[in-house]
Every structure is written in C-alpha cells, then in structure tokens.
Amino acid sequence: MESKIELKKTNELLGMNFYIPSYQRGYRWTEQQVKDLLNDIDEFKQEGDNWYCLQPLVVKKTILDIDQFKQEIESKTELQEIIVALNRQIRYEVIDGQQRLTTIFIILSYFGATNIFDIEYETRKDSKEFLRNITTQNESLTQVYIDFSYMGKAYETVKTFLEQKDQKQRDNFKNKLKNNVKFIWYEIDEPDPIKVFTRLNIGKIPLTNAELIKALFLNRSNFSKDESVRLCQQEIASEWDNMEYTLQNEEFWLFLNNPGYQKPTRIDFIFDLVCEQNELHINKDNIGTDQYHTFRYFYEYFKTGNADVEFCWKAVKKYFQIFQEWYNDLEIYHYIGYLVICQNDRLVDFINKWNESKTSFLEYLKGQIKTVINSCPDLNFQFKEDGSGKVKCKPILLFHNIQTVINQNLTQRSNEKYQLGVFYKFPFHLYKLESWDVEHINSNTDNVEDDEETQKEWLLNIYMGVNETLQDKIKQYFSLDEIEDKKELFNEIKEEVKSEVSIPEKWTQEEKNKIENYTLLDSSTNRSYGNAIFSGKRRVIIGKDKGKLIPVPKLSKDGKLVLSEEKDAVSSFVPPVTKHVFLKYYSATAGNNNYWTKNDAEAYKKDIKSCLEKLD
C-alpha cells in the first residue's frame, strides 16, 4: 500500500472512528486556541468554490476485525450497506492533528450533528462516551481527568462564541464548517507510526509541502495504467533525492539564497517557485496564502484526473537545471551570487531573463550590478573622520573581490597548460556566515606618544609587527614600575623601531578615510585586534588564513601585559582582496611590509577601478 493524500471536507469525516494512542498527550487546547479556530472559520468568506484549509491530519488505517466484517456482509446485497459495515471495522490511528480534530468534533456537537465521527483516547477508555455527551457534561468527570476538563472548557468556549450570534449567522457558520472546511488528509503507509509522531512532534520537524507533494507524485492513480508506472515513480524518487541532496549543499544553497531558510527540506524552495510562477497554468484563486498553499496548488492540478505527471515534474526540474547551469558558469555564478547578497529576492527576475541568450543575460546582470555600484559613493569620496558612512562602499569592496576571482579564473582558463574544466568559486556560503566590517587598512589614529597612556597604546599596537627582541623589551616595559625607567626604555624601543623599519610619509586624516584605505574583514577578527598598526594586522590576517587565532596583547587591570596562547580560529575565511592587501599584492615594487603606504593605496584603488570597468 502507498501513502494516500487528499483534501477531506469536515462532512466527509462523519461516521469514521479515530483513535488517539497513548504515545500522544491528552487534549490540551486552551480557550484562546479554540477562539482562534472559531474566528478563522467565522471570518472565512464563503464565495464560490473556495474553502478554508485546516492543517494536516496524519493517520494510519487499521482493520479491527476482518472476520467479523466478512460475517456481517454475508447477507448484505446493497453497496452502501457493505460500506457502512466496513467503516465499523476501520479505525484511524491519529498521528498528528488530534487537538484540532477533537475541537472540530466539539464544535459539531454544539450543532447537534448526528453520525459524528468517534474519537477515543487510549489513556481514557471512557473518552468516547464523554465526547458523545459533551453537550450535557458530567461535571464529576471534568474534575477527575485533566483531558475532560480541557474538553469541557473548549465546549463552553464554543457555546459562548456561537450564542453571541443570531440564528442566521450560526447556520452560516455550521454550513461553512461542514462543507467549506477541509483537512489535508494524509494517510500513511508506515509500519511504525511512533517514528512518524516523534519526527512531527517531539523532533519538531513539521510536515512540509514537499512531503505532501511527494505523496501526490508517487500516487499510482496519477500515472497511466501500464507496466512503466513503477519505473517512472522510481525515476522521480531518485531525481527528487538528488535535488534535495544538492540543495542541502551549503555551497550551492547559499549561492542562491541568504541564510535564514526555516523549512527542513529545501526542495520546497523549488515547489514555491513553480507555484509563484504558475508553471502548471491553473486557477490559483482557491489555494490561499497559508503555509500549505503550495501543496494545495499541486493538489488542484492533480485532482482534475487529467494531470500530466511528466509535464509537472519537468516544470520542477526546469528550475533546478537552471540553478545548476548558473552554478557551473564562471561569470553567471559570481554575478548572481553578488546580486543575491546586494538585492535579495530577485531570483524570479533572473529566471525570467534567462530565456534570452547568454550574452544578453550577462549584460543584464552587469546592468543590475551597475545599479548597485552607482548607489555607492564614487571612488574619490571622502568619508567622515569618525568612519560613519563607510559601510556604503561595502558593495564596491565586495564586487572587487568577485571580479578579482573571475579575472584569475579567466587567466587560468586561457592558459593551455591548465585547461581547467572547473573554476575556483568565491565562497558565498562562507561569506554569508560572517558579519563583515569595512575596516581601515592603515590605522585610523596617529598613535602619538605624548604621554604614558598613548605610549602604552602605541606599544600594544606595534607588538605583533616587530621582532622577538623588541617584543621582549615591550614585555619588560609593562613590567616596570618606575616612570623614569619606563620613559628611558620607551625611547630605546622607539629608536630601534625606527632603525628597523622605514617609516613612510605620514597620512592625513582625510586620506585615511577614502576607499583606498578600506577593505573587508569579518567583524570578530576586526574587533579583536583593536587599532594595531598595519604589520600587526597583517600578522593576524596571515594567521587567520592558516586557521589560527593570533593572540592580541592586552593590558590587565594593574597595567601588565597579558598574552594569550595561539589557538584555532573559528573561521579561516579571508576574502581574496583582503589577503592581497595585507600581502602587499598591489604594489609594483617590494615595499615596507610594516606599513600601508600611499603608493600601495593608489595601486589598490587603480585595481578597484579596473575591476569596475569590466562592467562596461
């Protein structure tokens, strides 16, 4: 037997037997939850063929006594009599949805509906009788059992709610409840229902649109009646698993999406696109907007009886194949990945443009990137002294990284020696898992050494950028107590630093607040090294690239130098351009590794400009 999925009107449940097993908790809906359901049904507009959809009712069918059934139908001749006898021997174990099902029973009871379905809780053997007589509650039972107390309060809530309405309004509510309210009926073929219950309830993994849609695709009745049915089902199931496996790959997923997707299965993302774009060309008026509207979209297609499963599946595969093609193209991968970060929720626009030639598509993407870049300050803009507003140039700095990676790959591809079939990708998945700062390359302060406090700051900032001998002297400085001794040692350290490194021309504050002095750095690393000089930052960046967190010197409360041990970094991702900056990649000649010079900055800015010109 295969799982069965359909939509059932409340009216279609009448006469059924439901059983709530002991692994479920008892009835616990509060007054507010009951009111919410009543209000939802009451506010639902009963127009045409539209209907209000309840969340899934997950059940497993069991036959109680097949021998008794056979004996009972021996004398039956009418089909309806046989169906009634069979229903008496069928019981549905409720795996998920029992709170809502019980509440619907209680509402129907208020209206005096006859032949209501039966509900029996395994932990309360008299629960069936109590619910059957809910309108004339046994007060003693509501006091004894907590389940019955909640059921009794639920009935009083229903009664109060409906008796505030006139007769016409109550009749209208009753008609909507019986004919325009539907459960998503999911009858599973699972030998271990507790396993399903654990996943849906204890594991808190909800029934997804994808799981419900899969039951539609794999229902034999939706295929032509020939020997190829099972083969076709197996093919769909295999391709389905491959799609989900690929979408679970963070490198693939976070190229197309930003973090925060909540659904446990990611193929839902593609089904949502098929629904949004109406690839199946159906009337969407009745599918609603709740969390299961995508399932109902596919259900509307399949319920016609003329569904073309292959056509439907091709519509799903079309999107996946588009995403794969983008992912495997050097420029498209990087340009779309960039735009997803900067513009978000634009995939549908990109898909619609994909029908054009690749050349036209690339020109379109470049045009969109130009729009992003044009909203940033130009390359000569001077930012405020306090650094506020510098985040506005982040899209330029990110694009510089993206185009740098593209340029490197194109160079390697054109080299006959390599003949690369694959390419190095900018790791959008790593980029999106971090928070990024626009950081000064050359320190934003002058670090003048006019008093003891600024002297201490200067020594801390240069510590990571000097040799071990000078580091030992800096440690000694912080261990001294006499001010005169400190001054003498500080001057000695200062002179040795000047003799060891060639201090370049001093930057003005205005020069420090331009794009040629900015780069991207993850927030945690940026804030860990404080206001270190270039050489100190360089050491931290190189360490991070190796997967190591270089200890940054700090002062204890009593003014002593504190050094932590080197340890593994939480993240080792350094954007390629940031790495290039601190490796002095842009300098035409070998320069001073201890400082970011004006010549370095000018060469860096020239490379940014060159990358932006690739958009023309």
Side-chain angles (χ1 to χ4, degrees):
M1 178 186 172
E2 61 190 15
S3 296
K4 177 182 179 182
I5 188 163
E6 59 184 319
L7 293 167
K8 280 188 180 292
K9 294 180 183 178
T10 304
N11 219 22
E12 294 178 84
L13 304 184
L14 302 184
M16 289 184 173
N17 297 308
F18 294 99
Y19 178 71
I20 315 299
S22 58
Y23 57 74
Q24 296 214 39
R25 69 171 183 166
Y27 183 76
R28 292 294 186 277
W29 259 25
T30 63
E31 178 182 354
Q32 187 58 52
Q33 288 171 300
V34 175
K35 281 183 178 179
D36 288 343
L37 178 59
L38 289 165
N39 280 316
D40 285 347
I41 297 172
D42 189 45
E43 293 168 5
F44 167 71
K45 296 188 183 302
Q46 191 177 11
E47 297 173 350
D49 296 329
N50 61 339
W51 37 271
Y52 175 77
C53 188
L54 296 168
Q55 291 190 349
L57 183 61
V58 185
V59 298
K60 178 177 175 59
K61 185 195 319 189
T62 56
I63 306 295
L64 297 179
D65 192 334
I66 192 65
D67 292 331
Q68 183 178 337
F69 166 67
K70 290 178 179 178
Q71 182 179 354
E72 187 174 349
I73 65 171
E74 283 180 354
S75 59
K76 307 295 184 185
T77 57
E78 296 292 331
L79 178 60
Q80 189 59 39
E81 291 178 324
I82 296 174
I83 292 174
V84 170
L86 178 60
N87 279 339
R88 278 199 288 268
Q89 298 305 321
I90 293 177
R91 184 173 72 180
Y92 292 97
E93 180 176 336
V94 179
I95 298 167
D96 194 46
Q98 58 103 343
Q99 305 282 346
R100 189 168 275 99
L101 178 67
T102 302
T103 306
I104 291 294
F105 179 98
I106 291 170
I107 299 172
L108 287 168
S109 296
Y110 169 82
F111 288 112
T114 58
N115 196 30
I116 296 180
F117 52 85
D118 280 322
I119 304 178
E120 182 177 1
Y121 285 73
E122 183 180 9
T123 55
R124 297 285 178 261
K125 295 300 181 185
D126 42 3
S127 56
K128 183 191 291 187
E129 285 303 312
F130 179 82
L131 283 166
R132 280 180 175 176
N133 299 297
I134 190 77
T135 57
T136 57
Q137 299 172 40
N138 185 327
E139 289 294 329
S140 61
L141 286 177
T142 61
Q143 298 301 316
V144 173
Y145 299 130
I146 186 68
D147 313 66
F148 294 172
S149 175
Y150 274 95
M151 291 173 186
K153 290 175 183 176
Y155 177 76
E156 291 301 322
T157 301
V158 171
K159 184 178 178 182
T160 301
F161 180 89
L162 290 169
E163 290 189 350
Q164 292 174 349
K165 302 181 179 297
D166 59 33
Q167 189 60 47
K168 182 178 179 181
Q169 290 173 322
R170 285 196 293 270
D171 289 343
N172 183 48
F173 185 97
K174 178 182 177 181
N175 185 52
K176 280 196 287 188
L177 176 64
K178 295 180 73 173
N179 298 301
N180 294 86
V181 173
K182 296 182 181 181
F183 277 99
I184 298 175
W185 176 270
Y186 190 29
E187 189 177 321
I188 66 165
D189 177 24
E190 168 61 59
D192 185 5
I194 296 179
K195 181 179 177 182
V196 179
F197 171 80
T198 301
R199 181 177 72 81
L200 296 176
N201 294 274
I202 299 175
K204 300 301 180 186
I205 302 175
L207 199 60
T208 65
N209 281 287
E211 190 170 348
L212 297 169
I213 293 168
K214 191 171 190 177
L216 292 174
F217 271 109
L218 301 185
N219 190 325
R220 290 177 66 89
S221 64
N222 291 325
F223 292 79
S224 57
K225 306 297 186 290
D226 58 45
E227 295 180 358
S228 65
V229 171
R230 182 55 58 189
L231 183 62
C232 189
Q233 287 181 314
Q234 289 174 347
E235 184 179 350
I236 289 176
S238 176
E239 291 178 336
W240 185 298
D241 291 341
N242 177 59
M243 285 187 199
E244 182 62 33
Y245 178 80
T246 303
L247 291 167
Q248 288 294 339
N249 178 353
E250 292 291 271
E251 187 176 347
F252 186 89
W253 177 256
L254 289 177
F255 143 62
L256 293 166
N257 297 276
N258 288 318
Y261 192 78
Q262 299 298 319
K263 297 177 183 178
T265 51
R266 289 179 173 173
I267 199 170
D268 288 88
F269 166 66
I270 294 181
F271 290 126
D272 289 341
L273 283 173
V274 172
C275 174
E276 182 182 344
Q277 295 294 92
N278 196 9
E279 291 287 343
L280 304 181
H281 313 300
I282 64 172
N283 187 335
K284 295 169 62 176
D285 291 345
N286 297 327
I287 68 168
T289 57
D290 71 313
Q291 70 181 100
Y292 289 109
H293 76 279
T294 297
F295 155 71
R296 292 199 298 277
Y297 173 79
F298 282 86
Y299 182 83
E300 286 291 307
Y301 178 75
F302 279 102
K303 80 173 186 179
T304 61
N306 298 316
D308 184 337
V309 176
E310 291 188 24
F311 165 77
C312 187
W313 185 239
K314 282 180 180 178
V316 175
K317 288 201 298 183
K318 181 186 84 169
Y319 286 98
F320 180 70
Q321 289 165 345
I322 288 173
F323 298 150
Q324 280 190 313
E325 193 165 351
W326 290 352
Y327 181 75
N328 292 319
D329 185 278
L330 170 60
E331 291 180 290
I332 293 174
Y333 166 82
H334 285 101
Y335 290 155
I336 285 184
Y338 174 82
L339 288 168
V340 167
I341 291 173
C342 296
Q343 293 187 325
N344 207 358
D345 297 328
R346 293 291 311 280
L347 278 185
V348 170
D349 294 337
F350 303 152
I351 290 167
N352 291 336
K353 284 288 183 180
W354 180 240
N355 294 324
E356 303 175 7
S357 68
K358 180 181 174 181
T359 302
S360 298
F361 186 63
L362 280 171
E363 288 304 313
Y364 165 75
L365 293 179
K366 289 180 179 180
Q368 295 302 303
I369 294 172
K370 282 183 184 178
T371 300
V372 174
I373 299 298
N374 289 340
S375 67
C376 303
D378 66 43
L379 298 187
N380 297 314
F381 186 82
Q382 179 186 317
F383 294 89
K384 293 181 180 179
E385 185 174 332
D386 62 2
S388 61
K390 64 183 179 180
V391 70
K392 292 180 181 178
C393 71
K394 185 187 286 187
I396 296 178
L397 298 177
L398 176 58
F399 179 76
H400 187 205
N401 279 272
I402 300 302
Q403 191 62 48
T404 295
V405 172
I406 293 174
N407 293 345
Q408 289 174 335
N409 278 286
L410 289 174
T411 300
Q412 291 171 348
R413 277 192 172 178
S414 64
N415 190 323
E416 293 182 2
K417 179 179 177 180
Y418 297 136
Q419 295 184 342
L420 297 177
V422 294
F423 55 90
Y424 164 71
K425 294 178 168 70
F426 180 85
F428 290 110
H429 61 302
L430 298 181
Y431 181 86
K432 291 179 179 180
L433 294 175
E434 299 281 358
S435 173
W436 295 91
D437 288 341
V438 174
E439 164 62 357
H440 284 91
I441 302 170
N442 188 8
S443 176
N444 192 34
T445 64
D446 290 325
N447 290 325
V448 290
E449 306 92 42
D450 296 334
D451 55 43
E452 186 179 357
E453 288 306 311
T454 54
Q455 287 175 3
K456 287 179 179 179
E457 182 183 359
W458 185 79
L459 290 172
L460 285 175
N461 290 339
I462 69 166
Y463 181 88
M464 292 184 295
V466 296
N467 60 43
E468 289 187 12
T469 301
L470 279 170
Q471 286 183 345
D472 288 339
K473 288 187 176 183
I474 292 172
K475 291 177 187 177
Q476 182 185 351
Y477 171 90
F478 284 104
S479 67
L480 295 175
D481 293 322
E482 294 295 329
I483 295 177
E484 289 302 317
D485 292 341
K486 282 189 170 185
K487 282 183 178 179
E488 183 179 344
L489 183 55
F490 175 80
N491 290 328
E492 181 182 333
I493 294 170
K494 185 176 178 182
E495 289 305 313
E496 287 190 37
V497 169
K498 286 181 178 180
S499 64
E500 181 179 303
V501 298
S502 174
I503 299 177
E505 180 184 355
K506 188 176 181 180
W507 291 51
T508 66
Q509 196 62 45
E510 291 76 15
E511 289 170 328
K512 287 184 178 181
N513 289 307
K514 290 188 173 183
I515 197 167
E516 57 263 40
N517 192 39
Y518 291 140
T519 192
L520 291 178
L521 192 63
D522 65 283
S523 302
S524 58
T525 302
N526 180 25
R527 291 160 198 181
S528 71
Y529 62 37
N531 198 33
I533 61 173
F534 178 83
S535 56
K537 294 177 181 180
R538 182 174 185 270
R539 185 176 170 215
V540 171
I541 296 300
I542 292 173
K544 180 179 173 65
D545 193 48
K546 294 177 179 178
K548 295 296 181 181
L549 183 62
I550 304 297
V552 178
K554 300 182 184 301
L555 291 183
S556 63
K557 290 182 179 179
D558 60 357
K560 304 301 181 185
L561 190 67
V562 178
L563 291 172
S564 303
E565 290 187 5
E566 184 179 291
K567 57 184 178 180
D568 291 339
V570 175
S571 165
S572 61
F573 173 57
V574 178
V577 167
T578 302
K579 194 186 306 183
H580 291 169
V581 161
F582 286 99
L583 292 178
K584 309 280 275 188
Y585 181 91
Y586 300 102
S587 305
T589 58
N592 187 343
N593 285 335
N594 290 284
Y595 290 91
W596 180 245
T597 69
K598 293 182 182 181
N599 287 337
D600 294 330
E602 192 60 36
Y604 174 51
K605 179 180 176 181
K606 183 178 179 181
D607 197 74
I608 295 175
K609 185 178 180 182
S610 174
C611 284
L612 292 176
E613 288 172 352
K614 297 292 184 180
L615 296 173
D616 296 327

